[in-house]
Amino acid sequence: MISIAAAVLFILWMQDYCGSLGKLNRLLLTEDTVEKIREHKISLELLSDFREWGSKEDGLSCLEYLSAYLITGTESKKELEWYYRQLKEYKPEECKVFTGYLSAVWEDLKYFPVPLSSVSDANVSYVDSWMYERTFGGKRGHEGTDLMASVNQRGRYPIVSITDGVVEKVGWLTKGGYRLGIRSPHGGYFYYAHLYDYARDFQPGDTIKAGEWIGFMGDSGYSEVEGTVGNFDVHLHLGIYVNRPDGEEMSINPYVILQYLEDKKLNYIFD
């Protein structure tokens, strides 16, 4: 009887193990799995769990838990550990790519891009509008999050850099107006658009510190004529991008990143 029970348990274990291996084999670097990374859907509560788990020496890092979650969708600590370790062993290149995407975005985050005002109630609001339809310049998806000003006045709200980094792009774009593009140390590209003005005469190659004032929120853009304003309400368009292995740029949803940075706001004096 004992041998029969043991055999049954072994068969059940093998079925579960083979099923898990089957799932593992389907975790390829396909467009479906890449889309999960781009969408970046995760609750702050679960992200907090990952940070707690990742702080323990016998577990994975927060980024590794996050990577495994976005690939598999499971929330179980035990399963996430198993999947990531298997991915790391049997699919090392794909595992490196997945974790690299997240490292480029998460490793350098320090400050929310719009400081709090210490002298007024001016604030911002935002929703998860990533990939919502836009029509200016042709039908397209919205590759970012718009932080809308409670006071619709250009030049009122200071904008700071979320990360350390190096200025990569600066100047006028038809869609983005006056914009600044900063490459962070781990490779993320942080794109600040529709600025009213710059904090200084930025040039490509200039170094930036996290929390450094980079400009004022505005409503510039949607025109080939440099300096055009007034085509929409005052706001900051924040885009976050990472480079794929093939060199193509890939948009990442900034919404959860902004939520994560809500308690990391600087205080500025502006009314």
Side-chain angles (χ1 to χ4, degrees):
M1 292 294 293
I2 295 176
S3 61
I4 294 174
V8 170
L9 288 173
F10 177 75
I11 291 170
L12 291 174
W13 177 83
M14 281 297 294
Q15 287 176 339
D16 182 62
Y17 180 73
C18 290
S20 296
L21 284 179
K23 291 179 183 178
L24 180 65
N25 288 332
R26 291 192 291 272
L27 296 180
L28 302 174
L29 192 58
T30 63
E31 288 305 312
D32 286 344
T33 49
V34 169
E35 193 63 21
K36 289 181 181 179
I37 299 291
R38 295 184 69 219
E39 289 176 354
H40 231 80
K41 299 287 188 181
I42 184 173
S43 70
L44 292 182
E45 292 77 15
L46 190 55
L47 182 59
S48 177
D49 287 343
F50 293 167
R51 290 174 63 83
E52 181 183 347
W53 299 345
S55 66
K56 298 175 182 177
E57 293 181 2
D58 59 346
L60 307 177
S61 71
C62 178
L63 286 178
E64 289 170 333
Y65 280 115
L66 180 57
S67 182
Y69 167 75
L70 291 176
I71 295 168
T72 66
T74 183
E75 298 183 9
S76 162
K77 182 176 186 291
K78 184 177 179 180
E79 284 188 71
L80 289 172
E81 283 187 294
W82 185 89
Y83 272 120
Y84 193 82
R85 295 188 193 285
Q86 298 302 311
L87 282 166
K88 195 170 184 179
E89 182 173 357
Y90 295 108
K91 298 179 183 291
E93 290 305 313
E94 293 177 354
C95 187
K96 182 179 179 181
V97 169
F98 281 126
T99 310
Y101 286 154
L102 297 176
S103 176
V105 174
W106 285 91
E107 290 281 18
D108 301 315
L109 300 177
K110 291 187 179 179
Y111 297 111
F112 193 83
V114 185
L116 291 170
S117 172
S118 58
V119 295
S120 79
D121 60 356
N123 54 46
V124 296
S125 61
Y126 56 95
V127 297
D128 188 1
S129 61
W130 185 76
M131 297 312 292
Y132 278 26
E133 184 178 316
R134 294 290 188 270
T135 55
F136 178 82
K139 188 176 179 180
R140 57 192 169 85
H142 182 230
E143 294 185 345
T145 296
D146 290 335
L147 294 92
M148 307 303 298
S150 63
V151 181
N152 189 37
Q153 181 181 342
R154 66 181 71 103
R156 182 170 190 166
Y157 292 77
I159 304 300
V160 302
S161 180
I162 294 171
T163 68
D164 291 341
V166 175
V167 173
E168 199 164 285
K169 301 288 184 181
V170 62
W172 184 264
L173 285 179
T174 297
K175 293 176 184 175
Y178 290 117
R179 62 59 161 104
L180 193 66
I182 297 172
R183 184 73 63 181
S184 72
H186 283 84
Y189 181 75
F190 292 77
Y191 169 76
Y192 307 83
H194 306 311
L195 299 177
Y196 170 69
D197 197 4
Y198 297 106
R200 57 184 170 92
D201 182 21
F202 289 108
Q203 298 296 321
D206 287 352
T207 57
I208 298 286
K209 289 294 184 182
E212 181 178 338
W213 172 43
I214 59 174
F216 283 108
M217 187 185 296
D219 55 348
S220 62
Y222 276 28
S223 173
E224 294 182 3
V225 179
E226 182 172 345
T228 298
V229 296
N231 285 327
F232 39 74
D233 287 342
V234 171
H235 70 280
L236 170 69
H237 170 96
L238 174 67
I240 301 178
Y241 298 85
V242 297
N243 288 327
R244 297 180 61 152
D246 60 7
E248 290 296 315
E249 196 173 59
M250 183 171 76
S251 168
I252 301 292
N253 188 350
Y255 181 69
V256 173
I257 286 93
L258 286 168
Q259 288 187 308
Y260 167 77
L261 291 170
E262 275 285 347
D263 62 352
K264 296 172 176 60
K265 293 179 179 178
L266 295 172
N267 279 281
Y268 272 43
I269 298 175
F270 67 96
D271 58 9

